[in-house]
Amino acid sequence: MLLVVAELGARFFYSDVTPDVISDEVLNHVWIPSQVRVVDLYERAGISEYTRSVNGQGFPMAREVSRQKGDGVYRIAYLGDSFTEGTCSEVDSVPAIVERSLRVPGFASVEVINAGTPSYAPTLYYLLLKTKLLSYRPDLLVVNVDMTDVFDDSLYSATLRSDSNGDPIACPPGHPLLTTHRRTERGLEPLSASQRALIWLSERSDAIRMALEVVSRIRSRAQERQNEVPPAFAWCRTDRSPATQLDVARSMEMLARVIRFAKAQGIAIVITAVPHLEQLEGKWSLQPMNDIAAVCAQENVPFLTPVEAFKQKLGSKQPQAIYIPDDMHFNADGYRMWGEIQVEFLKSLELP
């Protein structure tokens, strides 16, 4: 009887249990189209629930996007992961802020496609641009590189299929370690037989899933107190291992491929990066920003360095104020600040 009560309580208090994405043989995973969800995942951190819509084309936005651009429309496409999707109401996401705030001389309006997808990285940015976004003929592509992108690219390399020139063709799911490990905000964690059994049960029980999430958050806080750089953020270490150095080189080469492909299609491109809390606090290295800047200099495209811009916007405010407590993502204030920074930068470029 106690288990039944716990399960019913979990279903009442923890409604965000339906999968948001599905496997895809080319793009690894994609949004389930035509869904509207109430996201209450961060309520325990004091963040109000919000509604997330995914349109029929599989973009995390409420309205549908016409493949044919209207007259006088300047179209921007955003590539990125959950930071680009926005762990917030759509109106506070960076793509939405840019759409309503940016004006481009010579154009009547600006239209922005939000193509942010959880855990995407340069490998999947390239494939999504080539197989889907290109057909929408964007005038400008903005790529938001996250500090977990190098780690995610290392996972995607296990199943990636490329042509003779090294250009990605498909990245089906099925990393061999994902049967014995799970992907967390800290990295890949090995699972014991009992943990695998618990995860199997958690997929069928909201109560068990809630309990596992609480344990995971406690472990995250404990690791934060130790001031360690989790494996998922190995790119942010000052003492990178040889394996991490190889991962960084591979991911930066993939980013360069994204840039070269966009330019070959006549699409302007801008690169920026997501600063994480520990970087704004000075605890983690800013070398990833230098790595990205080097690629942009090599390919002759603009790079918005985010750290100093955020510090100027923050002023005397502490960086923690713009992040969700015990989570790596921005809160709505953080997204609004990041959106303002991007609008100011795009205006400085004198588009198109």
Side-chain angles (χ1 to χ4, degrees):
M1 183 64 180
L2 182 61
L3 288 175
V4 173
V5 172
E7 186 66 25
L8 289 174
R11 289 180 184 273
F12 180 78
F13 289 108
Y14 192 79
S15 60
D16 193 26
V17 295
T18 306
D20 296 309
V21 298
I22 52 175
S23 297
D24 187 88
E25 288 302 308
V26 174
L27 295 171
N28 192 267
H29 61 281
V30 296
W31 288 106
I32 297 172
S34 303
Q35 58 168 296
V36 179
R37 297 280 306 283
V38 174
V39 181
D40 57 8
L41 183 62
Y42 306 107
E43 280 193 318
R44 288 177 294 280
I47 306 297
S48 299
E49 67 179 29
Y50 59 90
T51 300
R52 178 177 61 229
S53 299
V54 178
N55 67 17
Q57 297 150 310
F59 297 126
M61 48 196 296
R63 64 173 171 79
E64 302 295 316
V65 181
S66 171
R67 290 186 185 274
Q68 184 67 36
K69 281 185 295 187
D71 292 339
V73 173
Y74 188 83
R75 180 172 283 176
I76 302 173
Y78 263 78
L79 280 172
D81 60 7
S82 52
F83 279 93
T84 300
E85 162 217 336
T87 50
C88 60
S89 175
E90 181 179 343
V91 70
D92 292 321
S93 69
V94 171
I97 291 170
V98 170
E99 181 172 78
R100 67 174 179 266
S101 303
L102 183 66
R103 298 292 178 267
V104 178
F107 291 84
S109 63
V110 171
E111 181 184 62
V112 180
I113 300 173
N114 185 348
T117 312
S119 300
Y120 266 35
T123 297
L124 302 186
Y125 301 157
Y126 180 92
L127 286 167
L128 182 59
L129 173 60
K130 187 174 184 178
T131 64
K132 184 175 181 177
L133 276 179
L134 185 61
S135 66
Y136 290 86
R137 304 309 303 173
D139 299 289
L140 173 67
L141 184 70
V142 180
V143 182
N144 291 325
V145 180
D146 181 33
M147 297 298 98
T148 59
D149 279 10
V150 165
F151 171 77
D152 286 326
D153 266 342
S154 71
L155 299 182
Y156 298 136
S157 67
T159 59
L160 179 64
R161 297 202 298 268
S162 303
D163 63 18
S164 58
N165 295 318
D167 289 322
I169 298 172
C171 187
H175 190 289
L177 285 179
L178 292 181
T179 58
T180 56
H181 293 64
R182 66 170 175 167
R183 166 71 162 91
T184 72
E185 287 187 0
R186 296 174 298 280
L188 277 183
E189 293 189 345
L191 299 171
S192 64
S194 59
Q195 287 174 318
R196 290 199 293 273
L198 278 174
I199 289 176
W200 183 87
L201 288 171
S202 75
E203 293 170 348
R204 293 155 178 82
S205 165
D206 296 343
I208 292 176
R209 181 172 174 173
M210 277 185 68
L212 288 179
E213 183 182 297
V214 170
V215 171
S216 177
R217 289 182 180 276
I218 292 172
R219 290 183 62 190
S220 293
R221 288 195 291 271
Q223 186 170 48
E224 182 180 345
R225 286 194 294 270
Q226 295 169 6
N227 199 27
E228 295 178 355
V229 179
F233 295 90
W235 190 15
C236 299
R237 292 182 63 93
T238 55
D239 55 338
R240 295 175 182 170
S241 68
T244 298
Q245 292 175 19
L246 288 174
D247 287 341
V248 171
R250 177 173 55 230
S251 201
M252 293 301 97
E253 169 56 26
M254 197 61 70
L255 180 61
R257 288 180 184 274
V258 173
I259 294 170
R260 291 194 291 267
F261 181 80
K263 291 171 73 173
Q265 302 301 318
I267 303 170
I269 184 167
V270 170
I271 310 296
T272 185
V274 180
H276 283 256
L277 173 60
E278 291 81 359
Q279 290 176 310
L280 292 181
E281 292 177 325
K283 296 177 181 177
W284 290 0
S285 170
L286 297 180
Q287 180 57 37
M289 307 299 174
N290 297 334
D291 295 330
I292 301 168
V295 172
C296 292
Q298 169 191 308
E299 302 297 332
N300 194 30
V301 297
F303 173 53
L304 167 57
T305 305
V307 175
E308 286 306 315
F310 266 96
K311 287 181 177 179
Q312 290 179 15
K313 287 280 186 184
L314 282 165
S316 60
K317 186 183 298 184
Q318 293 299 309
Q320 294 92 331
I322 61 172
Y323 290 86
I324 297 173
D326 301 320
D327 191 271
M328 69 177 179
H329 293 96
F330 291 127
N331 58 26
D333 289 340
Y335 286 113
R336 286 192 288 267
M337 187 175 292
W338 197 31
E340 291 172 5
I341 289 169
Q342 294 207 23
V343 168
E344 291 167 5
F345 183 76
L346 292 174
K347 285 181 178 177
S348 74
L349 297 178
E350 299 182 352
L351 299 170

